[in-house]
């Protein structure tokens, strides 16, 4: 149960922060240097629970590229997308290890583990300047799409009662029990 709670918590957190950043991506196109935009970036930090952490990490004034880097790529800040994905990946690996010891075949969880591992690695090796130059909004939408794919894999493997080799599901199980 603990691993499922951790997995869900961190996947949802990563998606929420990516969504919040995607909503404000248009501010980067306008150079984000006027006073109203600075207030918006501070609001983004506050809405992600990151204002105090940002102030400790960067003692200088709020800069849009640094806000993006802090919320997206920081490996130590618990609200960042990268940190959240790393923690979700650890939880999913722990679930996969438990499955290997149980009756669920190992390959059933590997699609979710592989998809989350790829997304985690992508963020670990990303650079904020490349993300901004390539289009932050499209990058964040791709991250959200990949998170949805991971969630679909997890749902398919763990939360739906789909047949696996050596494992009967609802109707088949009931039919067998009635026949016995």
């Amino acid at each position: 149960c603990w691993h499922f709670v951790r997995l869900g918590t961190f996947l949802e957190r990563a998606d929420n922060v990516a969504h919040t950043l995607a909503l404000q991506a248009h501010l980067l196109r306008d150079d984000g240097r006027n006073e109203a935009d600075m207030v918006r970036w501070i609001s983004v930090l506050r809405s992600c629970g990151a204002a105090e952490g940002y102030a400790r990490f960067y003692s200088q004034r709020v800069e849009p590229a640094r806000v993006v880097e802090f919320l997206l790529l920081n490996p130590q800040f618990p609200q960042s997308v990268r940190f959240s994905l790393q923690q979700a990946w650890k939880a999913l690996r722990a679930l996969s290890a438990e499955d290997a010891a149980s009756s669920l075949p190992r390959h059933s969880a590997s699609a979710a583990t592989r998809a989350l591992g790829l997304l985690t690695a992508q963020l670990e090796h990303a650079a904020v300047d490349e993300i901004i130059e390539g289009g932050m909004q499209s990058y964040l939408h791709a991250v959200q799409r990949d998170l949805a794919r991971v969630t679909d894999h997890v749902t398919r493997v763990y939360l739906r009662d789909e047949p696996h080799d050596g494992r009967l599901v609802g109707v088949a199980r009931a039919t067998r029990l009635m026949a016995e």
Side-chain angles (χ1 to χ4, degrees), residues 90-102:
K90 287 177 185 176
L92 186 56
R93 280 187 36 222
L95 285 170
S96 297
E98 289 175 9
D99 290 344
S102 71

Side-chain angles (χ1 to χ4, degrees), residues 66-130:
R66 286 188 175 177
V67 172
V68 171
E69 182 178 39
F70 188 70
L71 290 174
L72 189 61
L73 302 176
N74 192 300
Q76 299 165 340
F77 183 62
Q79 303 294 59
S80 76
V81 174
R82 180 177 172 185
F83 181 90
S84 296
L85 290 178
Q86 289 170 337
Q87 296 304 309
W89 191 67
K90 287 177 185 176
L92 186 56
R93 280 187 36 222
L95 285 170
S96 297
E98 289 175 9
D99 290 344
S102 71
S103 62
L104 267 179
R106 188 173 196 139
H107 67 69
S108 63
S110 67
T113 306
R114 226 178 11 256
L116 186 55
L118 286 170
L119 182 56
T120 303
Q122 178 187 2
L123 264 85
E124 286 176 0
H125 299 287
V128 72
D129 55 338
E130 293 171 356

Side-chain angles (χ1 to χ4, degrees), residues 2-3 15 27 41 46 49 55 61 67 69 73 100 119 137 141 150 156 161 164 166 172:
W2 173 249
H3 297 302
D15 185 57
L27 296 176
W41 283 112
R46 285 189 179 144
R61 68 182 216 128
V67 172
E69 182 178 39
L73 302 176
L119 182 56
Q137 196 161 27
H141 286 306
V150 169
R156 198 173 308 116
D161 204 13
H164 298 285

